[in-house]
């Protein structure tokens, strides 16, 4: 019933039994359970969110230019999330003697963080689909895609931005991830005017629906990062008290350019982008050959990233990074 009492399941059914509700009890006490709306438990009277009042862009050309920038934002977030993912200690290497729940928590956090990164990859695909549709329906005078640049700055709400950074998943990094995914904040706020524009009658309804799915995913990303923060909070106090890293974290830095594994990773990343560009150029986002090849490069990248992490390095996806002390 409260975040303070949340804990992992115990080892046997008998131990868990006192905390379970029978079917009969659920039927009798259902009104006490929180209702889930818009991906969140609502424990009080629900009030619908204020309707979107963002101003539409003045024409399709301005919209397409904004979408091109948003594609770069989706990609840079994906890279930041992946870099942070491989800064986590592998679950099988967790110090369970000192931290009995650490292995399970690392499994959960790694899984959720990977899901968010994959979702950002999907958003990159959807934004390119929007650009392709605008071009092929004749709404724009030129093709603005494929859009595969990497943004240099990231919005964090209230008109502020931060530089792109490759960092381990320390407390400050996680706070920045939560800020950029916050509803009506960072990236969510960037899409508000896109949705308001695509709601206008001259645009196909399918484009509005696609942009709406990106915003809905952003709400889910915010929830996932908030849950990750709750799980990892238990490991922060001791690390601050004795000045050491949290037990879930590796101390990784971007690999130097002469590192052979890093070069192999960057080559695979470039091939991945080439395959995506070929698929997005045709407008067929399910282009069988190119998508299969791109996925294979993703698998290659994963293996190299794991190898580099054991050496204390991360893939140097871009040069403009800030290495902060672990918190």
């Amino acid at each position: 019933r409260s975040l303070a009492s949340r804990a992992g399941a115990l080892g046997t059914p008998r131990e868990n039994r006192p905390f379970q509700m029978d079917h009969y009890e659920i039927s009798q006490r259902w009104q006490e359970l929180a209702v889930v709306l818009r991906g969140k438990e609502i424990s009080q009277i629900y009030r619908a969110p204020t309707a979107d009042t963002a101003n539409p862009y003045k024409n399709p050309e301005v919209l397409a230019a904004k979408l091109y920038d948003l594609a770069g934002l989706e990609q840079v977030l994906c890279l930041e999330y992946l870099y942070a993912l491989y800064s986590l200690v592998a679950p099988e290497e967790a110090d369970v003697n000192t931290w009995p729940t650490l292995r399970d928590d690392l499994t959960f956090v790694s899984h959720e963080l990977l899901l968010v990164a994959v979702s950002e990859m999907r958003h990159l695909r959807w934004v390119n689909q929007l650009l392709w549709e605008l071009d092929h329906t004749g709404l724009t005078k030129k093709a603005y895609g494929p859009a595969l640049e990497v943004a240099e700055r990231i919005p964090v709400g209230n008109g502020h931005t931060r530089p792109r950074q490759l960092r381990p998943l320390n407390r400050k990094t996680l706070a920045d991830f939560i800020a950029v995914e916050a509803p009506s904040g960072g990236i969510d706020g960037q899409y508000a005017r896109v949705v308001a524009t695509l709601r206008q009658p001259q645009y196909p309804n399918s484009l509005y629906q696609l942009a709406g799915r990106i915003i809905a995913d952003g709400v889910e990303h915010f929830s996932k990062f908030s849950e990750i923060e709750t799980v990892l909070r238990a490991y922060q106090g001791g690390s601050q008290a004795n000045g050491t890293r949290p037990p879930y974290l590796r101390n990784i830095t971007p690999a130097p350019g002469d590192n052979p594994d890093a070069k192999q990773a960057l080559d695979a990343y470039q091939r991945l982008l080439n395959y995506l560009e070929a698929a997005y150029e045709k407008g067929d986002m399910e282009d069988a050959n190119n998508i299969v090849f791109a996925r294979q490069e993703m698998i290659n990248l994963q293996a190299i990233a794991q190898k580099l992490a054991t050496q204390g390095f991360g893939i140097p996806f871009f040069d403009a990074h800030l290495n902060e002390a672990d918190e």
Side-chain angles (χ1 to χ4, degrees), residues 154-166:
I154 298 171
V156 293
N158 298 321
H160 300 294
T161 64
R162 64 169 174 83
R164 62 187 186 184
Q165 301 171 43
L166 297 175

Side-chain angles (χ1 to χ4, degrees), residues 68-286:
Y68 188 95
D69 292 340
L70 286 172
L73 183 56
E74 299 290 1
Q75 185 171 182
V76 76
L77 288 177
C78 177
L79 299 180
E80 284 196 348
Y81 297 163
L82 287 175
Y83 187 93
L85 170 64
Y86 295 110
S87 72
L88 298 173
V89 172
E92 60 272 17
E93 298 173 4
D95 179 7
V96 294
N97 293 323
T98 306
W99 306 92
T101 62
L102 181 56
R103 180 172 297 165
D104 290 340
D105 288 342
L106 278 167
T107 300
F108 168 79
V109 171
S110 299
H111 179 263
E112 295 298 285
L113 187 49
L114 180 59
L115 285 181
V116 176
V118 170
S119 182
E120 297 294 359
M121 298 177 198
R122 186 165 56 246
H123 292 178
L124 179 63
R125 172 247 197 251
W126 287 347
V127 174
N128 274 278
Q129 182 72 31
L130 290 172
L131 289 170
W132 191 90
E133 294 288 352
L134 288 173
D135 175 40
H136 284 258
T137 54
L139 288 166
T140 55
K141 297 177 182 178
K142 67 174 185 177
Y144 283 81
L148 292 166
E149 300 295 326
V150 180
E152 294 187 0
R153 298 196 66 84
I154 298 171
V156 293
N158 298 321
H160 300 294
T161 64
R162 64 169 174 83
R164 62 187 186 184
Q165 301 171 43
L166 297 175
R167 298 173 292 171
L169 192 66
N170 57 37
R171 186 170 56 183
K172 176 61 167 62
T173 301
L174 185 53
D176 284 346
F177 289 173
I178 292 173
V180 75
E181 299 287 1
S184 301
I187 191 169
D188 186 20
Q190 296 290 304
Y191 278 100
R193 294 187 68 183
V194 171
V195 171
T197 305
L198 294 175
R199 189 181 288 124
Q200 296 179 113
Q202 67 265 39
Y203 296 95
N205 186 56
S206 59
L207 303 189
Y208 165 70
Q209 294 177 352
L210 195 56
R213 290 171 67 185
I214 296 176
I215 289 184
D217 276 0
V219 174
E220 183 178 352
H221 294 179
F222 175 76
S223 297
K224 287 184 181 297
F225 279 129
S226 297
E227 291 171 359
I228 289 173
E229 194 275 335
T230 298
V231 170
L232 296 183
R233 190 184 305 155
Y235 304 100
Q236 295 289 353
S239 65
Q240 283 190 328
N242 56 32
T244 61
R245 291 193 310 276
Y248 63 85
L249 196 61
R250 288 184 170 119
N251 184 25
I252 67 170
T253 57
D258 58 355
N259 183 294
D261 291 323
K263 184 178 186 307
Q264 184 182 3
L266 293 178
D267 288 344
Y269 175 50
Q270 186 57 55
R271 290 193 299 270
L272 164 63
L273 294 179
N274 292 341
Y275 289 132
L276 291 181
E277 182 174 12
Y280 296 166
E281 183 72 40
K282 299 175 183 178
D284 182 1
M285 302 305 166
E286 305 304 330

